[in-house]
């Protein structure tokens, strides 16, 4: 099979890390390419992403005819809604890593059997607050709290159902990268190679704070109604605010300066979707506001507010060293090789955090490469710079840390803790 | 008079930059020390600050007996609410720059006549949305939109009323520093020295974005009610969110890591002040959340939501070069000397922005010193590091840019545009 397999499978009763169980965990997934026994690559999506990684069946290459359900596609998107997308599919929701995953692309679905599962707690077909509970009504906040570990365990169950044992690789970005780290810790013999893109061993308190503010925005919206809002409009204002905060975290000062500056927006339409003070009319409605308002409105249409609460809690909670003495200790049993990618202007998950993670791998004598991309794009770089993400990922999947396009921060050093970053910046954040 | 003069004066009819007028602009101010004709220093407060700069009449030095109205003091505070303050007045609202302004302090009220006015649009006694309009009810959003220029013009009117012509100095931090820049541009002959602390010629789009999200949090709170909420609880949830965003902007990654880490809070009390999802109980309530929740609740008690809208709009709107060809051109007529202070971990107003401003002064051949403080504290450094702020400010007020404790980024260069920062950091943001 060379096209795409879109399905939802039941993996049966599932006990979450919190101790609560549900009778029948549903996992929605997409799989691309043909499984040959040793070529499976699991891709882990980011916070508000979905299983829809690639538009494989849209490409000229594909002769598969599973068909594209446009309505369903509109419900899928990634962390980066583009107001003025420059791809051929701009104007409608796109597969979130279509520039990286597909036939002939870095994660080549002609070679690899690529699987991506919607994580439990999300809202794209896997069980979560918005899916039906035992009484036929949506679970709402009765759905058990989820953790990154629950995602990993659910993915393991899905792969078992698909007949996939050992994986060639697990790859993920952002909190999807935390998901990858959990794979290395939890199932250290199950993957030959792992790729952790724009992630960290844990969130720092600045990001914890912003996530907490985002949740408070949702839960203090009266329309949240304790999480019981299905069939009604729901906490659209709160979810819009949460998304706007997320969006600011995904960009950098430099990318925002380049993209928006202090320019006024050409049109006021989006300002009219929520109340403003009359004084607003004296001041410009800026491009940056218009962009955030536009994307927030789109997001509210595609994402469930309770899922936002659940998934940010999982992200905030993840701590690689939990239950171990150190990050290095948590990774020590991992039997494969690791590629870490970081982006110099990313302040959500910083290059320093990736370097600290690289040192943990090195301390446990696990082959690792920390490949730093010099970028202005902030966290979004992992989505919008396929030209920089693709080559090291492709070569690492093929040849491990010795892959041709793979670089490592420790190359100039003795491989120990006294490493040099390359490149070094005078200011990561203000660039 | 050696104590404090607290008063509210009417400066009569006032036309705002938007073109609207009010019949009687009230300005609440505090003044400390004795005016001798050439020793007046105007201090400009930050966004949510007040005229209450110093607790002069509380100090042992003061023999003045104007008395302290505790109820009134509780309504005054600065941008930095400390949960666990270490000053003698912790536990109640404090004067916002009490460590810098007062007898024997850097801005010595034994030498200088120090005046600070609550800006129009604020809520500490000057005319604004919360003050009574012509019909005896609060203005609400019928109050005219205000700009930083309106603040400067109102301060000029107040000083005229106090008999102060030319100022020895104008000093201000954060948006108060923008207020200082507007003085230099608007009244270039009225001040001998200006001190711009942790400010910039304009806000960058990242901060514009966060301010816009904060305003949207307020205006989408149903209790905002179009700005007509006086006599009712008002948009407490929205204002709390706005404050929490502000707070994150005032701190740095490093200060948050040091102050909170990922620790759980000792107590859950503040979490119970707003709705949360049941899943919250499975996860820790972290110190950083508790801190933000606690301070947000305090802020809601002391600040008016409409004022928050008005003052952030004024800040966002300020652009030094507006009406000129460049920042240098806007400053060219200024006849005095300038001290710029910046803090290396400040991402609200960055060291780079201050350096750009220094270059504008240099380009117009105005004596300027850009004094960079190596700090982990973020934007709050200007409030919480009096030991680093005081000496250069004191020496600059006395001796100008040649002051002993004053350093300048251009010292190693030819004084032109090819300047070196001292110190240089590998990462301003992630420190």
């Amino acid at each position: 099979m060379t096209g795409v397999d879109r399905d939802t499978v039941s993996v049966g009763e599932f006990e979450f890390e919190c101790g609560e169980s549900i009778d029948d965990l549903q996992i929605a997934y997409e799989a691309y390419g043909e499984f040959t026994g040793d070529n499976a690559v699991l891709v882990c999506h980011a916070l508000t992403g979905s299983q829809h990684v690639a538009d494989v069946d849209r490409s000229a290459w594909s002769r598969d005819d599973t068909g594209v359900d446009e309505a369903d596609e509109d419900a899928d998107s990634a962390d980066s809604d583009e107001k003025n997308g420059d791809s051929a599919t701009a104007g409608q929701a796109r597969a979130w890593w279509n520039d990286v995953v597909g036939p002939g692309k870095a994660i080549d679905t002609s070679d690899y059997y690529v699987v991506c599962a919607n994580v439990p707690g999300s809202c794209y077909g896997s069980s979560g607050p918005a899916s039906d509970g035992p009484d036929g009504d949506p679970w709402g906040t009765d759905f058990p709290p989820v953790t990154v570990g629950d995602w990993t365990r659910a993915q393991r169950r899905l792969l078992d159902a698909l007949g996939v044992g050992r994986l060639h690789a697990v790859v993920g970005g952002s909190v999807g990268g935390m998901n990858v780290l959990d794979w290395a810790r939890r199932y250290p013999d199950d993957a030959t190679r792992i790729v952790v893109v724009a992630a960290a061993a844990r969130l720092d308190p600045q990001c914890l704070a912003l996530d907490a503010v985002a949740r408070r925005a949702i839960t203090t919206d009266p329309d949240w109604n304790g999480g019981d809002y299905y069939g009604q409009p729901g906490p659209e204002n709160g979810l819009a605010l949460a998304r706007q905060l997320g969006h600011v975290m995904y960009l950098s000062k430099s990318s925002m300066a380049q993209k928006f500056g202090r320019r006024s927006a050409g049109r006021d339409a989006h300002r009219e979707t929520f109340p403003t003070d009359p004084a607003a009319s004296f001041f410009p409605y800026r491009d940056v506001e218009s962009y955030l308002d536009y994307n927030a409105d789109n997001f509210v249409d595609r994402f469930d507010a309770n899922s936002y609460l659940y998934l940010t809690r999982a992200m905030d909670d993840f701590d690689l060293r939990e239950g171990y003495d150190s990050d290095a200790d948590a990774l020590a049993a991992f039997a494969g090789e690791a590629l870490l990618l970081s982006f110099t202007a990313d302040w959500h998950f910083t290059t320093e955090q990736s370097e600290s993670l690289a040192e943990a791998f090195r301390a446990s004598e696990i082959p690792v490469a920390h490949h730093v991309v010099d970028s202005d794009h902030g966290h979004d770089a992992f989505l919008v710079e396929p030209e920089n993400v693709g080559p090291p990922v492709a070569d690492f999947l093929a040849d491990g840390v010795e892959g041709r396009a793979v670089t490592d921060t420790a190359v100039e050093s003795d491989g120990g803790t006294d490493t040099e970053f390359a490149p070094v910046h005078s200011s990561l954040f203000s660039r």
Side-chain angles (χ1 to χ4, degrees), chain A:
Chain A
M1 191 205 73
T2 52
V4 59
D5 173 24
R6 285 198 183 90
D7 206 354
T8 302
V9 300
S10 163
V11 299
E13 188 181 353
F14 189 86
E15 184 180 344
F16 292 83
E17 287 200 317
C18 64
E20 296 175 41
S21 296
I22 66 173
D23 286 342
D24 183 21
L25 179 68
Q26 303 280 319
I27 302 291
Y29 73 95
E30 295 194 8
Y32 317 87
E34 192 173 351
F35 183 48
T36 60
D38 62 357
N39 70 334
V41 173
L42 175 70
V43 175
C44 301
H45 67 70
L47 190 69
T48 64
S50 74
Q51 64 274 31
H52 186 44
V53 182
D55 279 331
V56 167
D57 47 2
R58 279 195 174 173
S59 78
W61 173 88
S62 171
R63 292 190 184 82
D64 185 81
D65 196 29
T66 51
V68 178
D69 180 340
E70 294 288 341
D72 181 60
E73 285 236 324
D74 282 348
D76 289 345
S77 189
D79 263 319
S80 179
D81 301 328
E82 283 289 326
K83 187 176 178 184
N84 300 303
D86 48 13
S87 95
T89 55
Q92 57 181 210
R94 295 174 298 171
W96 63 268
W97 229 9
N98 197 43
D99 294 323
V100 171
V101 179
K105 297 179 183 169
I107 301 178
D108 193 339
T109 53
S110 315
D111 296 331
Y112 301 113
Y113 175 61
V114 176
V115 180
C116 184
N118 187 221
V119 299
S122 182
C123 52
Y124 291 118
S126 292
S127 299
S131 62
D132 287 343
D135 61 359
D137 290 330
W139 283 97
T141 56
D142 289 334
F143 194 79
V146 300
T147 62
V148 171
D150 291 325
W151 302 350
T152 309
R153 292 167 55 241
Q155 288 158 339
R156 181 64 272 174
R157 293 268 284 269
L158 168 69
L159 293 170
D160 290 343
L162 295 176
V164 176
R166 186 175 166 89
L167 291 156
H168 177 66
V170 189
V171 183
S174 197
V175 69
M178 291 173 152
N179 194 169
V180 174
L181 291 170
D182 189 57
W183 266 89
R185 174 176 66 174
R186 187 176 300 268
Y187 304 121
D189 298 314
D190 282 12
T192 308
R193 292 178 181 142
I194 61 169
V195 181
V196 178
V197 185
R202 66 197 60 79
L203 223 53
D204 71 32
Q206 186 184 54
C207 294
L208 291 174
L210 290 168
D211 282 351
V213 176
R215 283 192 297 269
R216 185 168 169 159
I218 291 169
T219 61
T220 58
D221 184 330
D223 292 333
W224 178 63
N225 191 35
D228 182 14
Y229 53 76
Y230 297 102
Q232 291 151 35
E236 295 185 354
N237 287 319
L239 185 58
L241 291 168
R243 178 58 171 184
Q244 295 190 311
L245 287 186
H247 229 120
V248 173
M249 294 169 82
Y250 307 148
L251 305 175
S252 68
K253 273 198 192 296
S254 60
S255 67
M256 296 183 84
Q258 288 164 28
K259 200 174 182 109
F260 312 114
R262 291 174 51 92
R263 281 188 308 277
S264 295
R267 50 185 181 158
D268 269 11
H270 308 304
R271 188 181 232 172
E272 284 152 25
T273 59
F274 62 95
T276 54
D277 46 313
S281 61
F282 176 64
F283 297 105
Y285 180 54
R286 298 186 193 276
D287 236 14
V288 64
E289 297 174 72
S290 171
Y291 176 88
L292 291 177
D293 290 337
Y294 173 89
N295 283 297
D297 290 346
N298 281 358
F299 183 70
V300 162
D301 291 339
R302 77 167 175 90
F303 209 79
D304 176 56
N306 282 334
S307 283
Y308 203 86
L309 301 176
Y310 275 68
L311 301 188
T312 58
R313 287 204 183 281
M315 175 165 64
D316 292 5
D317 183 61
F318 182 77
D319 191 344
L320 179 60
R321 75 180 153 219
E322 193 178 318
Y324 295 84
D325 287 341
S326 65
D327 293 340
D329 193 37
L331 295 167
F334 176 59
E337 301 192 358
L339 171 66
L340 315 181
L341 253 74
S342 71
F343 303 87
T344 52
D346 184 353
W347 61 277
H348 191 345
F349 291 105
T350 67
T351 288
E352 284 87 348
Q353 285 174 304
S354 279
E355 182 59 17
S356 163
L357 191 54
E359 288 177 9
F361 280 100
R362 290 174 196 137
S364 287
E365 299 184 345
I366 298 162
V368 62
H370 178 200
H371 183 96
V372 178
V373 177
D374 190 10
S375 161
D376 280 341
H377 271 118
H379 187 58
D380 258 357
F382 89 93
L383 295 170
V384 301
E385 295 187 14
E387 70 281 14
N388 292 320
V389 170
V393 170
D395 287 359
F396 175 78
L397 289 184
D399 303 315
V401 296
E402 301 303 325
R404 204 171 57 86
V406 175
T407 68
D408 182 25
T409 50
V411 142
E412 302 286 309
S413 81
D414 59 2
T417 56
D418 184 25
T419 58
E420 287 265 341
F421 285 21
V424 172
H425 294 281
S426 61
S427 164
L428 291 186
F429 188 68
S430 59
R431 296 181 69 240

